[in-house]
Amino acid sequence: MAEATQEERPVYVTISALDAGHLTLPDHLFVAGGNPEVRNTVPSLSFLIRHPSSPVSRGGNVTNLVFDLGVKRDRLGYAAAQQPHIVAREPVITDPDCAASLRKGAGDKDRDGDLLNPETDVDFVILSHVHWDHIGTPSDFPSTTFVVGSGTLDLMRNGAGPLYPAELFNTDELPASRTVEFPPVPVKGDGFEKYYATNAPAHTSTPTDTQAELPPSAGEWSWQPFSGFPRTIDFFGDKSVYVIDSPGHLHGHVNLLVRTSETKYVYLGGDCCHDTRILSGEKEIAEYDDGRGGIRSVHVHTGLARKTLAEIDEGVSRLKKDADVEVVLAHDKGWRERNRHRFWPGNL
């Protein structure tokens, strides 16, 4: 058998967890049958993914990608309409935030120099979605290209229905000149066409004068099946980082699947659910009165969220036939406590 060419050789990335603040979740609003007296202070995790390639926006031989930014360092930076919700999630811990974790890691906070400088060393930020506990402080990344799910920018400008009015978002939060949306998601045949047609925010095309700097593969981005996942984008074009369309929680919600070795993947599930018992099928998503005579959950569409969980289960199950797959949710307190050694500068 001929030796694989450089282009054919598999590419692997390294991934490190980042502390990016904490918030407190009432159990009964997230897990069906949860105790109304139980409140859990949980992390809002971010992740640093390092790809072995020349970055598009700076020197060096590693491309740095950050997934999610967690909680804002300055809570006054949230929109006024968002503040009552944040108060309901007390205690909220903002130190360290994502930027501080990139600089100093989880080890010696007094070390000389920064491990990574968010102002100059981060090429891409991908946000799973733009809820307050994931959007962090984008202004900490003044040279970074932001990539978000289709419809995200319209959601932030115009809102989406009574549960997500525009007043909850800062419309100028993401830098217009350096933000790109993933392509629109094909939805025919998934049973939710009517919902998408009447509720989904509009896709925002990248302007011709954009200052966003994307990987060379971006010109060929399209949603394609991979393993058991029906809609994925090969971010770098080398099968090392897949963006997974994960609808249901909030418009534009995406997950990441990253390959760290020949036999290991890590699936970053964002807010596909908020408790590992839901992911395993032991518990169901909680539903409750929406205050308008209807029933809601923490997801914008509970049916789509359940469908996404089924797709994750199928995709992960297929991959596990040949590889180990570690699934990490954004708010998994137990995972954080067990894996402190794998936080930056450590690796998963």
Side-chain angles (χ1 to χ4, degrees), residues 40-339:
N40 297 306
T41 299
V42 301
S44 189
L45 296 171
S46 297
F47 296 88
L48 170 65
I49 297 162
R50 311 196 78 196
H51 183 273
S53 62
S54 299
V56 296
S57 60
R58 58 183 175 80
N61 57 5
V62 174
T63 294
N64 292 316
L65 185 163
V66 173
F67 182 61
D68 274 346
L69 297 181
V71 177
K72 283 188 186 306
R73 177 175 59 257
D74 179 6
R75 288 169 49 175
L76 295 178
Y78 290 110
Q82 188 68 265
Q83 297 291 345
H85 176 81
I86 296 172
V87 169
R89 295 292 178 259
E90 294 280 10
V92 174
I93 301 168
T94 63
D95 183 26
D97 67 346
C98 182
S101 291
L102 286 167
R103 289 188 174 99
K104 299 303 180 184
D108 181 7
K109 302 301 182 183
D110 296 323
R111 65 164 54 90
D112 293 333
D114 294 340
L115 290 169
L116 279 179
N117 185 344
E119 295 186 10
T120 58
D121 294 342
V122 175
D123 300 280
F124 304 110
V125 166
I126 297 177
L127 296 176
S128 65
H129 63 298
V130 291
H131 271 151
W132 70 277
D133 53 322
H134 293 260
I135 198 165
T137 309
S139 59
D140 285 340
F141 302 84
S143 63
T144 296
T145 292
F146 289 77
V147 194
V148 294
S150 179
T152 296
L153 297 177
D154 184 43
L155 168 69
M156 296 177 75
R157 286 191 300 265
N158 301 308
L163 296 178
Y164 294 100
E167 306 89 77
L168 293 178
F169 305 97
N170 296 323
T171 57
D172 59 351
E173 187 93 78
L174 297 177
S177 64
R178 291 182 284 112
T179 300
V180 173
E181 289 192 350
F182 288 114
V185 181
V187 296
K188 291 183 179 179
D190 70 356
F192 292 94
E193 296 93 332
K194 183 177 179 181
Y195 171 78
Y196 280 109
T198 57
N199 293 276
H203 177 74
T204 298
S205 299
T206 305
T208 55
D209 61 348
T210 183
Q211 296 177 30
E213 298 186 71
L214 295 168
S217 58
E220 299 180 2
W221 281 352
S222 66
W223 297 101
Q224 301 294 332
F226 172 71
S227 183
F229 300 102
R231 298 170 308 282
T232 77
I233 286 176
D234 184 353
F235 188 81
F236 289 106
D238 57 16
K239 304 179 181 180
S240 64
V241 175
Y242 288 94
V243 180
I244 313 293
D245 177 46
S246 311
H249 180 60
L250 185 67
H251 305 289
H253 187 257
V254 296
N255 293 171
L256 290 191
L257 175 72
V258 302
R259 192 177 188 187
T260 59
S261 74
E262 182 178 0
T263 58
K264 175 70 183 290
Y265 290 88
V266 177
Y267 188 92
L268 303 178
D271 278 2
C272 67
C273 64
H274 297 71
D275 192 291
T276 56
R277 294 172 296 174
I278 297 173
L279 190 67
S280 68
E282 178 186 348
K283 293 287 186 178
E284 291 289 333
I285 297 168
E287 296 183 276
Y288 48 90
D289 189 337
D290 68 358
R292 296 175 174 83
I295 299 297
R296 65 161 300 182
S297 73
V298 296
H299 304 288
V300 69
H301 194 292
T302 310
L304 268 172
R306 291 192 180 109
K307 178 175 178 285
T308 287
L309 289 173
E311 290 177 351
I312 293 171
D313 182 66
E314 174 66 17
V316 169
S317 295
R318 288 197 190 184
L319 284 175
K320 282 187 173 180
K321 294 178 180 179
D322 300 302
D324 177 39
V325 185
E326 182 175 13
V327 181
V328 188
L329 304 177
H331 302 301
D332 191 342
K333 177 181 180 180
W335 187 92
R336 178 184 180 273
E337 291 173 347
R338 295 189 302 270
N339 291 280

